[in-house]
Amino acid sequence: MRHVLVVGGGFGGLIAAKELGKLPVEVTLVDRANYHLFQPLLYQVAMAGLSPSDIAVPIRSILHRQKNVQVLLDEVTGVDLAKRRIHLKAGRDKSFDTLILAAGARTNFFGHDEWSRYALGLKDLDEAVEIRRRVLLAFEAAEREPDPVRRKDLLRFVVIGGGPTGVELAGSLSELARFVLSRDFRVVCPADAEVTLLEAGPRILPPFEPALSEKAVEQLHELGVKVRTGAMVTKVDEAGVHLGDELLPASTVLWGAGVVARPLAQSLGVELDRAGRVIVGEDCAVPGHPDVFVIGDMAHFRGADGKPLPGLAPVAMQQARLVAANVRRDLEGKPRAPFRYRDKGMMATIGRSRAVAEKGRLRFSGFLAWMAWLVVHLWFLVGFRNRFLVFYNWAYGYFTYRRGARLITGRRLEAGVPDRLVAPSEVEMEAEMRAGREPPVEAAADESQVRH
């Protein structure tokens, strides 16, 4: 029986596995996480609006009805096209007859990976939880800071990148400070927090029409977000963000300036574009390798206008269905069908009752766009439980201006986090560990109190 190997359990990989589950083939899905992540709502985990489990579902539970689908928790480190095998980090190599690569993308620091020590991207749950941790710790540090000047510095936040991710982060962060945390502190006033959104280009949300970009700026201003365009970042360090000779002080820097395909694409030894994506043919197969498909954020596929398709969930899902259909056609001895993308439009939410949306010639913003955004995202969430929990949390937050996921949890993902954003007990424990001693019981107890 034909063995189809799917790499990645995101939108593309999951849909491909579900569709292939209906065919007389053996399917193996490999992912380094055991859950499917609904990435469009990742920023809400980062901004304490949702819990991680609200937007993630175990892959095995989703595919348990597909009896011909096996799920492996492992990381693919390379692909040998000549031998038709993939290399796994923890397990043995796996052979395939057909390969579907849907491993997604990672944060792109444009050759400055050292900036990741101070500027967190937002591509997975670990990063979302760490962003939430750093943001909430900034307010906690400001609450115990007696110097008003340093207190003000602690409440300076910079979001780099004016695309949908950056806009959503900036708007939600300002809402968190002005409406959610404003009643929780006694010394510091969270509403005084400064949130700045930086965009290197001439306008934010460049894929949208200019009029919608202007509407987005207006709505961000209503939330107190400072928007700066034409702001080219030259350095990010502990002091903040450097724009040439200008230093923009910030205690917390968030990065939403772009993505690049995962390094797995380079192991193929085929033609890639500047973003590291595999250039594929009209059937989403790699030229010269008809049984190797690449879809989603890893694929460079030119649309009808000659431009590469954007890294959106609908693109990956439609490509997955097309590839599964072409696998069926191969089994039946029929010619393959080319991929034709059906544009579902674009949306970006900015905050409570604020959003912009575009579909064809239809463009709208404000409350109507926000409601459309809510409906679409609830519809595409996997699982009734997740839909119910997300709807409940949104309704609760809308009527009460509260967010229930304001927990400071986890450990630092990277070195270089300023000590002022670390809970006191954490500093003491790490100092003890560096000295080669076990942390005292009292310190562990204090840390528990800080985190809960």
Side-chain angles (χ1 to χ4, degrees):
M1 186 178 291
R2 191 175 189 83
H3 181 214
V4 183
L5 206 154
V6 181
V7 178
F11 289 106
L14 188 65
I15 291 295
K18 293 179 73 173
E19 293 295 318
L20 291 167
K22 307 171 186 176
L23 303 180
V25 295
E26 291 181 355
V27 182
T28 302
L29 186 149
V30 183
D31 197 292
R32 60 180 184 173
N34 77 325
Y35 54 83
H36 166 73
L37 177 65
F38 192 77
Q39 283 194 331
L41 294 181
L42 200 54
Y43 83 96
Q44 294 209 2
V45 174
M47 291 300 128
L50 296 172
S51 295
S53 61
D54 293 342
I55 64 169
V57 183
I59 295 174
R60 294 184 187 277
S61 69
I62 300 173
L63 298 175
H64 75 279
R65 295 184 184 277
Q66 277 73 29
K67 301 303 181 183
N68 62 332
V69 178
Q70 179 188 18
V71 178
L72 293 181
L73 178 63
D74 209 332
E75 182 176 355
V76 179
T77 58
V79 179
D80 189 332
L81 295 180
K83 296 182 179 179
R84 291 174 172 261
R85 299 182 70 84
I86 62 169
H87 306 303
L88 299 175
K89 187 174 183 178
R92 297 180 178 179
D93 293 354
K94 296 283 289 185
S95 61
F96 61 83
D97 297 309
T98 298
L99 177 64
I100 302 175
L101 291 175
R106 59 184 177 89
T107 302
N108 186 8
F109 287 97
F110 303 99
H112 296 280
D113 289 344
E114 69 276 10
W115 294 355
S116 64
R117 300 176 63 196
Y118 308 98
L120 267 181
L122 186 61
K123 293 301 294 180
D124 57 41
L125 280 178
D126 289 332
E127 290 180 333
V129 171
E130 177 67 2
I131 288 175
R132 182 182 70 185
R133 198 177 82 87
R134 293 192 192 181
V135 168
L136 294 178
L137 277 176
F139 289 98
E140 295 291 347
E143 178 75 0
R144 65 177 183 262
E145 175 57 58
D147 185 350
V149 176
R150 293 188 63 187
R151 189 186 306 143
K152 185 175 182 179
D153 289 342
L154 285 166
L155 297 184
R156 287 195 170 107
F157 303 89
V158 173
V159 180
I160 301 172
T165 298
V167 168
E168 289 167 351
L169 277 172
S172 189
L173 175 53
S174 188
E175 265 196 345
L176 176 69
R178 293 163 70 93
F179 303 117
V180 179
L181 300 180
S182 59
R183 294 172 288 184
D184 293 352
F185 292 84
R186 298 297 176 262
V187 175
V188 68
C189 179
D192 292 337
E194 294 183 10
V195 181
T196 303
L197 176 65
L198 303 179
E199 166 57 38
R203 63 186 178 91
I204 65 172
L205 298 178
F208 290 76
E209 285 294 315
L212 286 180
S213 295
E214 294 175 7
K215 285 287 186 181
V217 171
E218 293 175 7
Q219 295 177 62
L220 285 169
H221 285 165
E222 291 173 1
L223 290 172
V225 178
K226 298 179 181 179
V227 179
R228 292 184 57 174
T229 55
M232 180 66 69
V233 175
T234 55
K235 185 180 180 181
V236 183
D237 58 21
E238 188 177 20
V241 180
H242 298 259
L243 306 173
D245 295 331
E246 178 187 359
L247 170 63
L248 200 60
S251 69
T252 307
V253 180
L254 308 181
W255 186 274
V259 296
V260 63
R262 294 197 176 276
L264 179 61
Q266 300 174 9
S267 71
L268 296 174
V270 299
E271 186 179 3
L272 309 176
D273 67 4
R274 290 189 300 175
R277 297 174 298 184
V278 179
I279 298 176
V280 298
E282 63 176 10
D283 58 352
C284 295
V286 177
H289 301 275
D291 292 322
V292 178
F293 299 92
V294 183
I295 61 177
D297 291 345
M298 285 189 70
H300 175 111
F301 187 99
R302 294 189 180 276
D305 58 359
K307 298 180 181 179
L309 294 179
L312 300 176
V315 175
M317 296 167 73
Q318 291 180 35
Q319 288 178 334
R321 293 190 179 97
L322 182 278
V323 168
N326 278 337
V327 170
R328 187 191 71 241
R329 291 186 178 96
D330 288 347
L331 295 173
E332 297 172 350
K334 298 179 181 178
R336 292 180 177 179
F339 177 65
R340 296 288 183 267
Y341 176 54
R342 297 184 298 279
D343 190 358
K344 301 293 185 179
M346 297 182 293
M347 294 180 173
T349 182
I350 297 160
R352 173 190 170 99
S353 301
R354 296 175 175 90
V356 292
E358 176 180 338
K359 178 173 173 53
R361 297 184 179 181
L362 181 63
R363 302 176 186 90
F364 47 105
S365 60
F367 181 78
L368 183 60
W370 181 70
M371 286 298 297
W373 183 91
L374 294 179
V375 171
V376 168
H377 284 72
L378 280 175
W379 177 263
F380 281 107
L381 263 173
V382 176
F384 173 79
R385 172 190 174 276
N386 290 60
R387 291 192 186 103
F388 174 80
L389 289 175
V390 170
F391 177 77
Y392 170 80
N393 280 302
W394 282 349
Y396 176 78
Y398 182 83
F399 290 109
T400 66
Y401 282 98
R402 308 295 289 174
R403 297 184 188 179
R406 303 194 307 276
L407 305 180
I408 299 175
T409 61
R411 304 289 290 182
R412 284 178 285 177
L413 294 184
E414 301 288 347
V417 181
D419 281 346
R420 62 181 180 274
L421 295 187
V422 180
S425 58
E426 212 171 77
V427 175
E428 295 167 5
M429 291 178 69
E430 292 189 1
E432 293 285 342
M433 293 173 71
R434 283 196 296 269
R437 298 188 297 271
E438 289 295 325
V441 175
E442 290 81 3
D446 288 342
E447 183 178 21
S448 176
Q449 293 172 7
V450 171
R451 294 181 186 282
H452 300 286

